[in-house]
Amino acid sequence: MIVKEQIVNQAMLLFRQMGIRSVTMDMIAEQTGISKRTLYENFSNKDELVEACVMQEIESRKEQAKRILEGSSHIIETYILFMWDHINRLRGTSPLFIKDIQKLYPQSICKQTNEFNNRMRENMKQFIIMGIKDGVFRKEINPDIASILIFEQIKVLHVEGGFETSPLSMFSPAEVFEHISINFIRGISTSKGLELVDFYYSKHKMV
Amino acid sequence: MIVKEQIVNQAMLLFRQMGIRSVTMDMIAEQTGISKRTLYENFSNKDELVEACVMQEIESRKEQAKRILEGSSHIIETYILFMWDHINRLRGTSPLFIKDIQKLYPQSICKQTNEFNNRMRENMKQFIIMGIKDGVFRKEINPDIASILIFEQIKVLHVEGGFETSPLSMFSPAEVFEHISINFIRGISTSKGLELVDFYYSKHKMV
DNA sequence: AAAAAACTTTTATTGTTTAAAAAGTTTTTT
DNA sequence: AAAAAACTTTTTAAACAATAAAAGTTTTTT
């Protein structure tokens, strides 16, 4: 079944570039170098193919998350590493990809990503609660509000009309994301937390 | 021309409660206790009346801004006072009011509010630049990105579908706004800045 | 002279039709 | 046996028409 993987990989290449809506099955067949018929013998419809792509993406993220958790010694280091991981993903992916999944597939496939997102938000909330207990985040912080707000801020990157409408369009999504992430964690931090943010930020600094 | 003021005041009462779209001219006439004809003799159409209301609101804000600037001894105190002023306004105004102005009147009237908003964003940018020079905000901050981001965050409060769609619906706009404002300024602050935020926040603390 | 009511006009929303593009299928070719 | 091409069906989006609500006007009443 190596051909199925081939198709998923080539489709992902196109999806990442142009989103899902504007990639046709003809394009995918051509890109993979197979006929449409063969394509449909492997995936009986587009949704099935998209689902396979999304699942692959989610799996990749889960594995990466596992690696990050194993490789970090403090929750703030974890946060910084997740930030860099996401920045790298943003750099290789058109905002259309995420946007299309959310707008076009709110039922079947989005179920997977929604579960994933809800788990992420819940993780973020627990992360904040842990940080407060640990004395790195301020105790005035409401973990519910704060965990929602960080994801709402990130949504700005995937806003309707791309990004072009927004005055943020002059800056790259990756740059804005870094700004948001660092400002957010510093905003909720105590002085002890800030020291750790500075420490781990310079430890993992990238260009 | 006391009757004109009467109309504006009564109309504002309704607009603040239910937005602009859902308030009819009949409702305004009834609320003011005059006939529709008299209403139209004072304002030849709804847009003119809305404009008068918006101008009154802008004037009120300008005066309040002047008072705040005069009454504060440091830019961080200014920021905290503006925050409380806005929280008080939010408490008395339905999100529909701002939403309707932005969605319904993007041309003539919105010109006024857009100018006002652009000036606010520019002020915010200058505020951040001053803060960096003064050593209260971090020098890594990009004043353009940061000034846009704070307004984008505030937009979450006026998002399409009210607020009801958003997971933030369980919290009051005022509460969320305070969270956003404090997190933002702490996020961009140096340790010197944080001390001042703490100082002025407790100085002006409200319930 | 202004309120109340009855009226006309505009605007905004809703549903319907139509046309194009892409999904999905079948036939033909190599 | 799979690619290429030709085909049919579905979806989507745009254009248009019908409707209802509110804007705006005129007439009638107090």
Side-chain angles (χ1 to χ4, degrees), chain B:
Chain B
M1 280 297 127
I2 193 87
V3 64
K4 276 192 131 176
E5 287 171 32
Q6 264 295 316
I7 294 169
V8 168
N9 290 337
Q10 296 302 314
M12 271 305 276
L13 224 65
L14 294 173
F15 289 157
R16 266 198 256 269
Q17 270 170 38
M18 353 166 42
I20 294 168
R21 144 165 294 172
S22 50
V23 173
T24 69
M25 292 298 263
D26 292 83
M27 287 161 86
I28 294 167
E30 193 187 8
Q31 168 81 20
T32 316
I34 58 172
S35 75
K36 235 169 115 174
R37 168 150 198 194
T38 314
L39 175 54
Y40 273 99
E41 260 156 25
N42 285 278
F43 296 95
S44 57
N45 54 52
K46 191 179 181 180
D47 283 10
E48 219 174 80
L49 172 54
V50 172
E51 189 170 1
C53 290
V54 169
M55 290 309 287
Q56 199 197 44
E57 182 72 10
I58 289 180
E59 277 314 305
S60 145
R61 288 219 200 177
K62 280 186 184 168
E63 283 163 26
Q64 182 68 3
K66 209 174 159 189
R67 257 175 266 138
I68 287 173
L69 284 165
E70 282 165 1
S72 54
S73 53
H74 187 277
I75 49 172
I76 293 198
E77 184 169 29
T78 315
Y79 182 91
I80 299 283
L81 289 171
F82 269 113
M83 179 185 84
W84 285 119
D85 178 51
H86 201 256
I87 286 174
N88 288 331
R89 285 180 197 278
L90 279 176
R91 283 181 176 146
T93 311
S94 159
L96 277 173
F97 180 57
I98 298 134
K99 231 180 76 185
D100 278 357
I101 286 181
Q102 290 172 348
K103 307 259 153 175
L104 269 70
Y105 299 91
Q107 329 85 335
S108 51
I109 295 161
C110 207
K111 198 176 55 190
Q112 314 280 351
T113 53
N114 276 348
E115 266 176 38
F116 188 70
N117 287 337
N118 288 339
R119 210 172 312 129
M120 294 234 311
R121 190 187 293 157
E122 183 57 31
N123 287 345
M124 180 60 76
K125 184 179 154 186
Q126 294 306 325
F127 165 76
I128 294 169
I129 291 172
M130 281 169 63
I132 293 172
K133 275 193 190 138
D134 192 38
V136 292
F137 299 147
R138 293 182 294 124
K139 59 184 185 313
E140 296 84 9
I141 296 299
N142 179 327
D144 282 295
I145 297 182
S147 60
I148 295 167
L149 280 180
I150 179 65
F151 286 107
E152 289 293 326
Q153 275 185 268
I154 291 166
K155 271 193 198 161
V156 175
L157 299 171
H158 314 135
V159 91
E160 181 64 51
F163 193 60
E164 303 81 39
T165 329
S166 154
L168 285 169
S169 49
M170 311 129 104
F171 307 97
S172 75
E175 186 181 7
V176 175
F177 181 81
E178 184 180 341
H179 228 278
I180 290 172
S181 305
I182 292 297
N183 264 22
F184 174 75
I185 197 167
R186 295 187 70 99
I188 65 173
S189 287
T190 60
S191 55
K192 181 181 161 191
L194 288 173
E195 276 174 33
L196 290 166
V197 171
D198 286 334
F199 175 74
Y200 288 115
Y201 182 78
S202 29
K203 179 174 172 189
H204 295 292
K205 192 156 193 162
M206 295 172 95
V207 203

Side-chain angles (χ1 to χ4, degrees), chain A residues 18-34:
Chain A
M18 349 168 43
I20 294 168
R21 144 164 296 173
S22 51
V23 174
T24 69
M25 293 298 265
D26 292 83
M27 288 161 85
I28 294 168
E30 193 187 7
Q31 168 80 19
T32 316
I34 58 172

Side-chain angles (χ1 to χ4, degrees), chain A residues 74-128:
Chain A
H74 188 275
I75 48 171
I76 292 199
E77 184 170 29
T78 315
Y79 182 91
I80 298 284
L81 289 171
F82 268 112
M83 180 186 82
W84 284 119
D85 177 52
H86 201 255
I87 285 175
N88 289 332
R89 286 180 196 278
L90 280 176
R91 283 182 177 145
T93 310
S94 158
L96 277 172
F97 181 57
I98 298 134
K99 232 180 76 184
D100 278 358
I101 286 180
Q102 290 171 350
K103 306 260 155 177
L104 270 70
Y105 299 92
Q107 329 83 336
S108 53
I109 295 161
C110 207
K111 198 176 55 191
Q112 314 280 350
T113 52
N114 277 348
E115 265 177 39
F116 189 70
N117 288 337
N118 287 340
R119 211 173 312 130
M120 296 235 309
R121 188 184 295 156
E122 184 57 30
N123 287 346
M124 179 61 75
K125 184 179 154 185
Q126 293 307 323
F127 164 77
I128 294 169

Side-chain angles (χ1 to χ4, degrees), chain A residues 15-169:
Chain A
F15 289 157
R16 265 196 257 269
Q17 269 170 38
M18 349 168 43
I20 294 168
R21 144 164 296 173
S22 51
V23 174
T24 69
M25 293 298 265
D26 292 83
M27 288 161 85
I28 294 168
E30 193 187 7
Q31 168 80 19
T32 316
I34 58 172
S35 73
K36 233 169 115 175
R37 168 151 196 194
T38 313
L39 176 53
Y40 274 99
E41 262 158 21
N42 285 277
F43 296 95
S44 57
N45 54 50
K46 192 179 180 182
D47 283 11
E48 219 174 78
L49 171 56
V50 172
E51 189 170 358
C53 291
V54 170
M55 289 310 286
Q56 199 196 44
E57 181 72 10
I58 288 181
E59 276 315 306
S60 144
R61 289 220 199 176
K62 279 187 185 167
E63 283 163 25
Q64 182 67 2
K66 208 174 160 189
R67 257 175 268 136
I68 287 174
L69 283 165
E70 281 166 1
S72 54
S73 53
H74 188 275
I75 48 171
I76 292 199
E77 184 170 29
T78 315
Y79 182 91
I80 298 284
L81 289 171
F82 268 112
M83 180 186 82
W84 284 119
D85 177 52
H86 201 255
I87 285 175
N88 289 332
R89 286 180 196 278
L90 280 176
R91 283 182 177 145
T93 310
S94 158
L96 277 172
F97 181 57
I98 298 134
K99 232 180 76 184
D100 278 358
I101 286 180
Q102 290 171 350
K103 306 260 155 177
L104 270 70
Y105 299 92
Q107 329 83 336
S108 53
I109 295 161
C110 207
K111 198 176 55 191
Q112 314 280 350
T113 52
N114 277 348
E115 265 177 39
F116 189 70
N117 288 337
N118 287 340
R119 211 173 312 130
M120 296 235 309
R121 188 184 295 156
E122 184 57 30
N123 287 346
M124 179 61 75
K125 184 179 154 185
Q126 293 307 323
F127 164 77
I128 294 169
I129 292 173
M130 279 168 64
I132 294 172
K133 276 195 191 136
D134 192 39
V136 292
F137 298 147
R138 292 183 294 124
K139 60 185 184 315
E140 297 84 10
I141 297 298
N142 178 327
D144 281 296
I145 296 182
S147 59
I148 295 167
L149 280 180
I150 179 64
F151 286 107
E152 289 294 325
Q153 276 185 267
I154 292 167
K155 272 193 198 161
V156 174
L157 299 171
H158 314 136
V159 91
E160 182 63 51
F163 195 59
E164 304 82 38
T165 331
S166 154
L168 285 169
S169 49

